[in-house]
């Protein structure tokens, strides 16, 4: 199949398993995870396709996928593809109640650093009470701080990104979160995602959905930041439409289309290069939205 020259980024929800239970979580638990052997075929076909720049492994919690590193080690990655991982950090830092300190899993951290160019941590507020409202565990802020402090002392050359979900429950704390983030000079990217109201529960959507004016406040704040160390990007409602290539844990590819996720390919049988012909996928918008060089 002809490669027309465009290269894309994609997100791979490799598992729906998670060791956290955020109320707003969007993961689809109905689709089953594939085996390492099945995912190996998919990963190889992605690498061979010559149209993928960057693969962000997410989930669920990707470190809960049994055989993640076996999978990555089983296929030679081309130099021009970079890998990124999004994690909640729980497996990276265990809390020791005796010393009241976090113990970093150095072996796991080193494996991650070996395979992934970017490590992305999810944190929505530097205020633990707000994180509790969002539904994250009681130690989330301190855990992420402990991991960042560890990296600062030991691996300050890794590329770190932060993902934050902006909802009605945390938008007013975003400036404080920026203060927290900006202390770590090796954090190179911060992505703010608007809560889209895509949970099945109306109650949860009502609780988290953020009004336009409030999200504008967040955007204006982000635009006012002058910091050449960190690239900040914002995902508002229209940013999602047609721009993300989302590979789900069962091998299907979904594209966001007018607020709905539409299944457009199944990589167990289809070739990712067919994405070039999918009308719901907006290549130009994808390049503008995800065209950050890695
Ligand atoms: S950490 Fe992510 S995947 Fe896990 S429950 Fe929270 S939002 Fe969902």
């Amino acid at each position: 199949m002809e490669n027309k020259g465009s290269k894309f980024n994609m997100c791979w929800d490799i598992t729906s398993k998670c060791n956290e239970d955020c109320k707003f979580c969007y993961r689809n638990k109905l689709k089953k995870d594939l085996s390492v052997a099945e995912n190996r075929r998919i990963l190889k076909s992605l690498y061979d396709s010559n149209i993928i720049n960057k693969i962000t492994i997410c989930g669920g919690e990707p470190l809960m996928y049994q055989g993640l590193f076996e999978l990555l080690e089983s296929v030679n990655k081309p130099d021009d593809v970079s890998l990124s991982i999004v994690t909640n950090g729980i497996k990276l830092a265990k809390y020791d109640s005796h010393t009241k300190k976090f113990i970093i899993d150095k072996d796991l951290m080193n494996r991650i650093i070996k395979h992934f160019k970017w490590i992305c941590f999810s944190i929505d507020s530097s205020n633990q009470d707000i994180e509790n409202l969002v539904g994250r565990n009681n130690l989330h802020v301190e855990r992420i701080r402990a991991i960042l402090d560890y990296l600062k002392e030991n691996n300050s050359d890794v590329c770190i990104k932060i993902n934050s979900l902006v909802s009605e429950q945390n938008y007013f704390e975003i400036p404080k979160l920026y203060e927290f983030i900006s202390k770590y000079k090796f954090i190179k990217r911060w992505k703010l995602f608007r809560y889209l109201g895509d949970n099945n529960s109306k109650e949860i959507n009502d609780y988290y959905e953020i009004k336009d004016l409030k999200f504008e406040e967040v955007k204006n704040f982000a635009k006012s930041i002058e910091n050449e160390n960190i690239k900040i990007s914002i995902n508002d409602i229209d940013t999602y439409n047609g721009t993300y290539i989302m590979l789900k844990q069962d091998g299907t590819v979904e594209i966001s289309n007018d607020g709905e996720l539409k299944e457009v390919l199944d990589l167990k049988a289809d070739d990712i290069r067919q994405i070039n012909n999918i009308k719901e996928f907006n290549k130009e918008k994808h390049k503008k939205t995800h065209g950050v060089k890695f």
Side-chain angles (χ1 to χ4, degrees):
M1 194 175 299
E2 189 195 353
N3 168 26
K4 297 190 178 136
S6 297
K7 292 208 175 193
F8 310 119
N9 298 340
M10 65 190 301
C11 300
W12 188 352
D13 288 342
I14 200 154
T15 181
S16 65
K17 294 189 192 82
C18 193
N19 42 10
E20 185 67 285
D21 195 18
C22 306
K23 293 192 194 102
F24 54 65
C25 186
Y26 69 94
R27 74 198 138 119
N28 181 340
K29 296 179 193 165
L30 299 176
K31 295 189 170 194
K32 293 271 172 281
D33 292 7
L34 296 182
S35 67
V36 172
E38 289 168 308
N39 276 330
R40 184 185 181 280
R41 282 193 286 279
I42 290 179
L43 182 61
K44 183 164 185 332
S45 73
L46 294 174
Y47 286 164
D48 289 346
S49 73
N50 202 27
I51 67 158
I52 299 297
N53 266 335
K54 177 177 173 244
I55 303 172
T56 299
I57 309 277
C58 26
E61 166 57 41
L63 296 174
M64 298 285 286
Y65 180 71
Q66 291 287 331
L68 175 66
F69 294 103
E70 182 192 337
L71 168 68
L72 297 176
E73 282 156 15
S74 70
V75 192
N76 284 331
K77 185 183 77 58
D79 290 342
D80 59 354
V81 179
S82 64
L83 294 180
S84 171
I85 186 167
V86 180
T87 175
N88 59 27
I90 292 176
K91 276 191 164 271
L92 278 168
K94 293 194 177 52
Y95 186 67
D96 180 344
S97 54
H98 295 297
T99 60
K100 301 200 175 0
K101 287 187 177 156
F102 286 92
I103 301 166
I104 302 293
D105 185 334
K106 293 178 189 165
D107 288 342
L108 182 57
M109 184 68 89
N110 287 339
R111 289 189 97 179
I112 291 175
I113 290 170
K114 180 176 163 211
H115 287 284
F116 293 94
K117 181 166 181 196
W118 287 82
I119 310 174
C120 175
F121 296 105
S122 308
I123 179 167
D124 316 296
S125 175
S126 56
N127 177 338
Q128 183 60 51
D129 292 340
I130 303 276
E131 283 291 30
N132 288 352
L133 280 178
V134 166
R136 291 198 189 271
N137 70 83
N138 282 332
L139 295 169
H140 188 63
V141 174
E142 285 316 306
R143 175 177 284 109
I144 297 295
R145 193 195 304 276
I147 295 170
L148 292 173
D149 285 344
Y150 172 83
L151 288 170
K152 189 174 167 185
E153 278 165 33
N154 298 281
N155 302 86
S156 59
D157 53 347
V158 294
C159 295
I160 301 294
K161 182 182 167 196
I162 299 291
N163 278 358
S164 305
L165 189 79
V166 182
S167 75
E168 190 72 20
Q169 302 305 323
N170 69 333
Y171 76 93
F172 47 89
E173 286 272 351
I174 291 297
K176 286 205 177 128
L177 179 57
Y178 172 67
E179 272 176 39
F180 173 91
I181 289 172
S182 59
K183 288 191 187 122
Y184 299 95
K185 301 287 178 233
F186 57 91
I187 295 178
K188 298 285 179 238
R189 295 201 65 204
W190 184 24
K191 196 155 198 176
L192 295 153
F193 294 85
R194 180 174 183 164
Y195 179 74
L196 281 188
D198 47 3
N199 197 284
N200 290 332
S201 151
K202 180 179 180 312
E203 194 189 337
I204 286 180
N205 286 335
D206 289 348
Y207 187 67
Y208 290 112
E209 229 166 316
I210 174 169
K211 306 276 178 299
D212 289 345
L213 274 178
K214 291 174 179 171
F215 198 68
E216 276 311 307
E217 256 180 57
V218 174
K219 278 181 170 173
N220 289 336
F221 168 71
K223 282 180 198 153
S224 73
I225 294 172
E226 289 178 18
N227 182 345
E228 56 192 30
N229 272 324
I230 183 164
K231 176 171 171 46
I232 302 173
S233 44
I234 298 166
N235 263 25
D236 203 344
I237 292 167
D238 77 312
T239 326
Y240 293 92
N241 219 18
T243 71
Y244 276 95
I245 304 175
M246 284 174 285
L247 172 56
K248 309 306 285 188
Q249 68 270 19
D250 65 348
T252 54
V253 173
E254 293 180 349
I255 302 280
S256 179
N257 181 38
D258 290 333
E260 301 282 321
L261 286 172
K262 186 165 179 206
E263 212 170 282
V264 293
L265 293 173
D266 183 346
L267 297 192
K268 293 192 291 305
D270 299 327
D271 188 312
I272 188 62
R273 286 171 288 187
Q274 290 170 243
I275 199 78
N276 276 304
N277 306 321
I278 300 292
K279 69 175 185 332
E280 288 81 7
F281 179 54
N282 186 330
K283 282 188 252 183
E284 288 314 309
K285 199 166 159 192
H286 175 92
K287 267 190 255 166
K288 270 194 214 141
T289 317
H290 305 286
V292 179
K293 293 272 173 272
F294 291 93

